[in-house]
Amino acid sequence: MPRPSPGRTVGGVSAAAARPGVLWFRRDLRLHDHPALVAAAAGGPVLPLFVLDPLLWGPSGDVRRAWLVRSLEHLDASLGGRLVVRHGDPVEVVPRVAAELEAAAVHVTADAGVYGRHRDAAVEAALAAAPGAVPFVRSSTPYAVAPGTLKNGSGSPFQVFSPFQRAWLREGWPAPAPRPRTRWVESVASEGLPPAPDLGGVELPEPGERAALRRWEAFREELLPAYAGARDRPDKPGTSALSVHLKYGEVHPRTLLAGLADVPGEGAERFRSELCWRDFYADVLWNRPDSAWHPLKPEAEVPSDTGHLADERYAAWAEGRTGFPIVDAGMRQLLREGWVHNRVRMVVASFLVKDLHLPWQRGARHFLHHLRDGDPASNNQGWQWVAGTGTDAAPYFRVFNPVTQGKEHDPQGDYVRRYVPELRGVAGKAVHEPWLLPGGVPEGYPERIVDHAAERQEALARYARLRG
DNA sequence: TGTAGGTTCTG
DNA sequence: AGAACCTAC
C-alpha cells in the first residue's frame, strides 16, 4: 500500500494523499465533519455509500436499527434518492464496490474505530489486497477527538476522567468541516434500504441531520443557560436529547463544540464536559475492547445472584413493576420511547445492581436492545461506573435511594405520573411512596419487590466481604 | 453523578 | 423543627 505523501494537512490527514473516493460509513451518517472524508473531498468529490453490516443487522426488535433505517431514508431523500446502499459483510462488499469504480491507487485512511476496530482492520487488509481498487475512506462513529489518541504523561491511556478532560481541553479538536462535493457514479448500483423493523408501539422523534440541527439550535437558545441545574430534572425538558443524533452521525460533536465556543457560563461548560465524557468512554473502550462485557477492574466485581428468583426480579425490573415509582417510570419510559433521562438511567441501574444484586451486563444488554441511542461505549462503561468495576467508577458504597432520588429530581411527581398510569390519582411528591398512602398502594400498582434498606445493607456487606 | 445517622447551628 | 454540616460506609 503506498504511503501518503507529505503535504498540507487537513484534519490530521495528508491532503496530498487524498483522491476521489468511496465513503464507507457504518454509523456516521454525517458526511462533512470527518477528517478522513475532508481529506478525500479535498482531492475530488465523494461517493456516498452505505454498507449494511450484518453485525448491525441482527435479529429483529432493536430500536437502534429502526432509527438507522429511518435516518438513512432521510439521508437518501436529501441526496435526491442517490444514496448507494449495499448489503453484506464490509470485508467482502467494500472491495467489490471499489472494483466497480475507475481504478486508482488504494488508499486506506485509518481513523480510530470503536469496538469494531479489529473488524475494521480486516476491511483494510481486504482492500489493500484488492488490485486496482479506488481510494477508500473509512468512517466510524464521530467523536471530537478520535478514540485511542490521547495519552497521559507516561504514554498510557487515561484511567480517570478529570485528567482526560484536562488533556482534551488542552489539545483541542479540529473545526467542523465543510460539506464535500458529491460524486454520482451511475455504474454503481444500489440495493436499496430494507424496511424499518416493526417498532412495536415505540414512538421515535424525527431522525436526520435537519432535525438534529433544529434540536441543537433550540437547545442552545432555550435550555443551555440553565443546563447545569436543569439536566437532572427528568420531569422537565432540560437535556439536549441529542444523544441519538450524535450516535448516528446526524450531527457531529465538533459542530456542537464550535457552537459552544463563544457561549459563556456554567451551562455551556457543563454541556462541553458531557461531550467529553462521551469521548472518554469511547477512548476507554477503544483501549480495552473487552470491557464492553467484562469488568474493567475484575477485582472490584461483587458476586451477583442467579436462579429463578433472580430471573423473576430481573423481569420485574425490565417491565417496570418493581413497586418503586421512579424505577418503574424509567423502565416504562424506555419501552415506550426508546430513551430514558440520564438521571433515571443511573437510578434504575443502581437498583438492578445494588438492590436486586444482578449483574450489570443484564441491564446493559436490555438497555442496548431498547435504547435508540444505545452505544456500546457510553452505555456499557456507564453500567460499569454504576457497578463500581469501571474506570473512574463510583465508590462501592454509593447506593441510590429510589425514594430520595425521586423526591429530589422529580419533586412534584410529574415524571412518575407520566409513565405510571396506576399512580395518576396520587398528587404531588407522595407518588414516590405509594405504600404510605392512607388507602394503601393504589389498585393495579405492585407492592415493592424488595426492602431497599435491607438490600442496601446486603450490597454493602457483599462489598465488605470482597475487600476482605 | 449517594446515603444514613449523627452533631451543631438557627429561628 | 429543620437546615447545615460532618463522616463512615
Side-chain angles (χ1 to χ4, degrees), chain A residues 173 176 216-217 220-221 224 252-264 268 271-272 275:
Chain A
W173 43 81
W216 163 235
E217 285 308 320
R220 197 169 61 148
E221 298 303 318
L224 191 58
H252 199 286
R254 288 175 193 158
T255 301
L256 308 187
L257 287 162
L260 286 172
D262 53 355
V263 182
F271 187 66
R272 189 159 37 232
L275 290 173

mmCIF file of all heavy atoms in Angstrom, chain A residues 173 176 216-217 220-221 224 252-264 268 271-272 275:
data_model
loop_
_atom_site.group_PDB
_atom_site.id
_atom_site.type_symbol
_atom_site.label_atom_id
_atom_site.label_comp_id
_atom_site.label_asym_id
_atom_site.label_seq_id
_atom_site.Cartn_x
_atom_site.Cartn_y
_atom_site.Cartn_z
ATOM 1 N N TRP A 173 -9.626 20.244 19.321
ATOM 2 C CA TRP A 173 -10.153 19.347 18.290
ATOM 3 C C TRP A 173 -10.296 20.129 17.005
ATOM 4 O O TRP A 173 -10.390 21.359 17.003
ATOM 5 C CB TRP A 173 -11.517 18.801 18.736
ATOM 6 C CG TRP A 173 -12.348 19.878 19.335
ATOM 7 C CD1 TRP A 173 -13.092 20.808 18.685
ATOM 8 C CD2 TRP A 173 -12.448 20.193 20.736
ATOM 9 N NE1 TRP A 173 -13.667 21.672 19.574
ATOM 10 C CE2 TRP A 173 -13.294 21.315 20.841
ATOM 11 C CE3 TRP A 173 -11.935 19.630 21.910
ATOM 12 C CZ2 TRP A 173 -13.627 21.893 22.072
ATOM 13 C CZ3 TRP A 173 -12.266 20.203 23.122
ATOM 14 C CH2 TRP A 173 -13.102 21.319 23.201
ATOM 15 N N PRO A 176 -15.362 21.939 12.659
ATOM 16 C CA PRO A 176 -16.228 21.205 11.742
ATOM 17 C C PRO A 176 -15.868 21.522 10.297
ATOM 18 O O PRO A 176 -15.462 22.631 9.981
ATOM 19 C CB PRO A 176 -17.635 21.692 12.097
ATOM 20 C CG PRO A 176 -17.461 22.886 12.948
ATOM 21 C CD PRO A 176 -16.118 22.802 13.574
ATOM 22 N N TRP A 216 -30.599 21.119 18.079
ATOM 23 C CA TRP A 216 -29.405 21.743 18.652
ATOM 24 C C TRP A 216 -29.604 23.249 18.821
ATOM 25 O O TRP A 216 -29.307 23.821 19.873
ATOM 26 C CB TRP A 216 -28.200 21.431 17.770
ATOM 27 C CG TRP A 216 -26.982 22.299 17.981
ATOM 28 C CD1 TRP A 216 -26.319 23.014 17.045
ATOM 29 C CD2 TRP A 216 -26.270 22.506 19.216
ATOM 30 N NE1 TRP A 216 -25.253 23.659 17.600
ATOM 31 C CE2 TRP A 216 -25.194 23.368 18.922
ATOM 32 C CE3 TRP A 216 -26.444 22.060 20.519
ATOM 33 C CZ2 TRP A 216 -24.286 23.796 19.895
ATOM 34 C CZ3 TRP A 216 -25.542 22.488 21.495
ATOM 35 C CH2 TRP A 216 -24.478 23.341 21.177
ATOM 36 N N GLU A 217 -30.162 23.901 17.793
ATOM 37 C CA GLU A 217 -30.389 25.343 17.883
ATOM 38 C C GLU A 217 -31.388 25.665 18.994
ATOM 39 O O GLU A 217 -31.189 26.594 19.773
ATOM 40 C CB GLU A 217 -30.895 25.890 16.539
ATOM 41 C CG GLU A 217 -29.811 25.996 15.472
ATOM 42 C CD GLU A 217 -28.580 26.754 15.962
ATOM 43 O OE1 GLU A 217 -28.726 27.765 16.679
ATOM 44 O OE2 GLU A 217 -27.452 26.324 15.646
ATOM 45 N N ARG A 220 -29.707 25.167 22.358
ATOM 46 C CA ARG A 220 -28.708 26.199 22.656
ATOM 47 C C ARG A 220 -29.380 27.516 23.054
ATOM 48 O O ARG A 220 -28.951 28.175 23.999
ATOM 49 C CB ARG A 220 -27.808 26.408 21.432
ATOM 50 C CG ARG A 220 -26.522 27.144 21.780
ATOM 51 C CD ARG A 220 -25.544 27.106 20.660
ATOM 52 N NE ARG A 220 -26.091 27.767 19.469
ATOM 53 C CZ ARG A 220 -25.334 28.417 18.584
ATOM 54 N NH1 ARG A 220 -24.044 28.497 18.764
ATOM 55 N NH2 ARG A 220 -25.881 28.965 17.522
ATOM 56 N N GLU A 221 -30.441 27.855 22.353
ATOM 57 C CA GLU A 221 -31.102 29.121 22.632
ATOM 58 C C GLU A 221 -31.891 29.083 23.943
ATOM 59 O O GLU A 221 -31.847 30.016 24.727
ATOM 60 C CB GLU A 221 -32.056 29.491 21.480
ATOM 61 C CG GLU A 221 -31.365 29.691 20.134
ATOM 62 C CD GLU A 221 -30.282 30.750 20.179
ATOM 63 O OE1 GLU A 221 -30.503 31.800 20.810
ATOM 64 O OE2 GLU A 221 -29.191 30.520 19.601
ATOM 65 N N LEU A 224 -29.704 25.829 27.202
ATOM 66 C CA LEU A 224 -28.296 25.803 27.592
ATOM 67 C C LEU A 224 -27.961 26.684 28.801
ATOM 68 O O LEU A 224 -27.216 26.242 29.681
ATOM 69 C CB LEU A 224 -27.411 26.165 26.393
ATOM 70 C CG LEU A 224 -25.908 25.932 26.561
ATOM 71 C CD1 LEU A 224 -25.608 24.482 26.882
ATOM 72 C CD2 LEU A 224 -25.159 26.358 25.307
ATOM 73 N N HIS A 252 -22.341 16.288 14.257
ATOM 74 C CA HIS A 252 -21.016 15.924 14.754
ATOM 75 C C HIS A 252 -20.704 16.692 16.036
ATOM 76 O O HIS A 252 -21.060 17.864 16.148
ATOM 77 C CB HIS A 252 -19.968 16.238 13.686
ATOM 78 C CG HIS A 252 -18.670 15.508 13.901
ATOM 79 N ND1 HIS A 252 -17.786 15.865 14.889
ATOM 80 C CD2 HIS A 252 -18.142 14.437 13.276
ATOM 81 C CE1 HIS A 252 -16.740 15.038 14.844
ATOM 82 N NE2 HIS A 252 -16.937 14.161 13.874
ATOM 83 N N PRO A 253 -20.071 16.026 17.017
ATOM 84 C CA PRO A 253 -19.749 16.755 18.245
ATOM 85 C C PRO A 253 -18.907 18.003 18.004
ATOM 86 O O PRO A 253 -18.998 18.974 18.760
ATOM 87 C CB PRO A 253 -18.988 15.729 19.089
ATOM 88 C CG PRO A 253 -18.678 14.592 18.183
ATOM 89 C CD PRO A 253 -19.695 14.613 17.097
ATOM 90 N N ARG A 254 -18.099 17.981 16.932
ATOM 91 C CA ARG A 254 -17.289 19.185 16.650
ATOM 92 C C ARG A 254 -18.167 20.362 16.250
ATOM 93 O O ARG A 254 -17.835 21.521 16.526
ATOM 94 C CB ARG A 254 -16.277 18.884 15.539
ATOM 95 C CG ARG A 254 -15.158 17.980 16.015
ATOM 96 C CD ARG A 254 -14.242 17.582 14.883
ATOM 97 N NE ARG A 254 -13.375 16.488 15.295
ATOM 98 C CZ ARG A 254 -12.770 15.656 14.468
ATOM 99 N NH1 ARG A 254 -12.929 15.797 13.166
ATOM 100 N NH2 ARG A 254 -12.003 14.694 14.920
ATOM 101 N N THR A 255 -19.289 20.059 15.618
ATOM 102 C CA THR A 255 -20.236 21.123 15.290
ATOM 103 C C THR A 255 -20.791 21.732 16.574
ATOM 104 O O THR A 255 -20.899 22.953 16.703
ATOM 105 C CB THR A 255 -21.385 20.560 14.432
ATOM 106 O OG1 THR A 255 -20.840 19.987 13.240
ATOM 107 C CG2 THR A 255 -22.381 21.651 14.062
ATOM 108 N N LEU A 256 -21.131 20.862 17.540
ATOM 109 C CA LEU A 256 -21.664 21.351 18.810
ATOM 110 C C LEU A 256 -20.593 22.136 19.559
ATOM 111 O O LEU A 256 -20.867 23.211 20.104
ATOM 112 C CB LEU A 256 -22.150 20.191 19.672
ATOM 113 C CG LEU A 256 -23.125 19.193 19.025
ATOM 114 C CD1 LEU A 256 -23.635 18.205 20.074
ATOM 115 C CD2 LEU A 256 -24.292 19.920 18.376
ATOM 116 N N LEU A 257 -19.370 21.625 19.585
ATOM 117 C CA LEU A 257 -18.297 22.294 20.311
ATOM 118 C C LEU A 257 -17.983 23.655 19.689
ATOM 119 O O LEU A 257 -17.716 24.624 20.411
ATOM 120 C CB LEU A 257 -17.048 21.410 20.335
ATOM 121 C CG LEU A 257 -17.169 20.195 21.264
ATOM 122 C CD1 LEU A 257 -16.133 19.132 20.935
ATOM 123 C CD2 LEU A 257 -17.052 20.630 22.725
ATOM 124 N N ALA A 258 -18.035 23.723 18.378
ATOM 125 C CA ALA A 258 -17.803 25.020 17.723
ATOM 126 C C ALA A 258 -18.911 25.999 18.095
ATOM 127 O O ALA A 258 -18.664 27.182 18.324
ATOM 128 C CB ALA A 258 -17.737 24.836 16.201
ATOM 129 N N GLY A 259 -20.129 25.492 18.193
ATOM 130 C CA GLY A 259 -21.247 26.348 18.567
ATOM 131 C C GLY A 259 -21.217 26.777 20.018
ATOM 132 O O GLY A 259 -21.874 27.738 20.418
ATOM 133 N N LEU A 260 -20.454 26.051 20.841
ATOM 134 C CA LEU A 260 -20.332 26.387 22.257
ATOM 135 C C LEU A 260 -19.194 27.355 22.527
ATOM 136 O O LEU A 260 -19.106 27.942 23.611
ATOM 137 C CB LEU A 260 -20.058 25.114 23.077
ATOM 138 C CG LEU A 260 -21.187 24.119 23.314
ATOM 139 C CD1 LEU A 260 -20.622 22.867 23.979
ATOM 140 C CD2 LEU A 260 -22.268 24.730 24.178
ATOM 141 N N ALA A 261 -18.303 27.491 21.538
ATOM 142 C CA ALA A 261 -17.024 28.166 21.777
ATOM 143 C C ALA A 261 -17.198 29.577 22.352
ATOM 144 O O ALA A 261 -16.441 29.985 23.222
ATOM 145 C CB ALA A 261 -16.220 28.218 20.480
ATOM 146 N N ASP A 262 -18.194 30.309 21.863
ATOM 147 C CA ASP A 262 -18.346 31.701 22.303
ATOM 148 C C ASP A 262 -19.479 31.854 23.314
ATOM 149 O O ASP A 262 -19.954 32.957 23.545
ATOM 150 C CB ASP A 262 -18.582 32.619 21.096
ATOM 151 C CG ASP A 262 -19.744 32.112 20.242
ATOM 152 O OD1 ASP A 262 -20.263 31.020 20.544
ATOM 153 O OD2 ASP A 262 -20.122 32.809 19.284
ATOM 154 N N VAL A 263 -19.925 30.745 23.891
ATOM 155 C CA VAL A 263 -21.017 30.813 24.869
ATOM 156 C C VAL A 263 -20.432 30.764 26.274
ATOM 157 O O VAL A 263 -19.823 29.767 26.656
ATOM 158 C CB VAL A 263 -22.010 29.643 24.672
ATOM 159 C CG1 VAL A 263 -23.155 29.753 25.656
ATOM 160 C CG2 VAL A 263 -22.533 29.624 23.241
ATOM 161 N N PRO A 264 -20.593 31.854 27.040
ATOM 162 C CA PRO A 264 -20.073 31.829 28.406
ATOM 163 C C PRO A 264 -21.039 31.113 29.335
ATOM 164 O O PRO A 264 -22.185 30.849 28.980
ATOM 165 C CB PRO A 264 -19.999 33.313 28.762
ATOM 166 C CG PRO A 264 -21.102 33.933 27.969
ATOM 167 C CD PRO A 264 -21.294 33.096 26.730
ATOM 168 N N ALA A 268 -22.880 26.025 29.352
ATOM 169 C CA ALA A 268 -22.032 25.634 28.230
ATOM 170 C C ALA A 268 -20.868 24.773 28.700
ATOM 171 O O ALA A 268 -20.506 23.777 28.067
ATOM 172 C CB ALA A 268 -21.518 26.875 27.510
ATOM 173 N N PHE A 271 -22.170 21.281 29.466
ATOM 174 C CA PHE A 271 -22.516 20.509 28.270
ATOM 175 C C PHE A 271 -21.247 20.055 27.550
ATOM 176 O O PHE A 271 -21.164 18.920 27.069
ATOM 177 C CB PHE A 271 -23.407 21.340 27.340
ATOM 178 C CG PHE A 271 -23.942 20.551 26.180
ATOM 179 C CD1 PHE A 271 -24.839 19.514 26.385
ATOM 180 C CD2 PHE A 271 -23.543 20.828 24.881
ATOM 181 C CE1 PHE A 271 -25.331 18.768 25.323
ATOM 182 C CE2 PHE A 271 -24.025 20.093 23.819
ATOM 183 C CZ PHE A 271 -24.923 19.070 24.027
ATOM 184 N N ARG A 272 -20.249 20.932 27.503
ATOM 185 C CA ARG A 272 -18.959 20.556 26.911
ATOM 186 C C ARG A 272 -18.356 19.376 27.667
ATOM 187 O O ARG A 272 -17.807 18.445 27.081
ATOM 188 C CB ARG A 272 -18.010 21.758 26.935
ATOM 189 C CG ARG A 272 -16.732 21.559 26.155
ATOM 190 C CD ARG A 272 -16.071 22.880 25.769
ATOM 191 N NE ARG A 272 -16.209 23.878 26.803
ATOM 192 C CZ ARG A 272 -16.679 25.099 26.594
ATOM 193 N NH1 ARG A 272 -17.014 25.475 25.391
ATOM 194 N NH2 ARG A 272 -16.784 25.951 27.589
ATOM 195 N N LEU A 275 -19.955 16.153 26.604
ATOM 196 C CA LEU A 275 -19.392 15.689 25.333
ATOM 197 C C LEU A 275 -18.029 15.042 25.556
ATOM 198 O O LEU A 275 -17.658 14.096 24.866
ATOM 199 C CB LEU A 275 -19.269 16.854 24.344
ATOM 200 C CG LEU A 275 -20.591 17.409 23.807
ATOM 201 C CD1 LEU A 275 -20.347 18.663 22.971
ATOM 202 C CD2 LEU A 275 -21.333 16.373 22.982
#
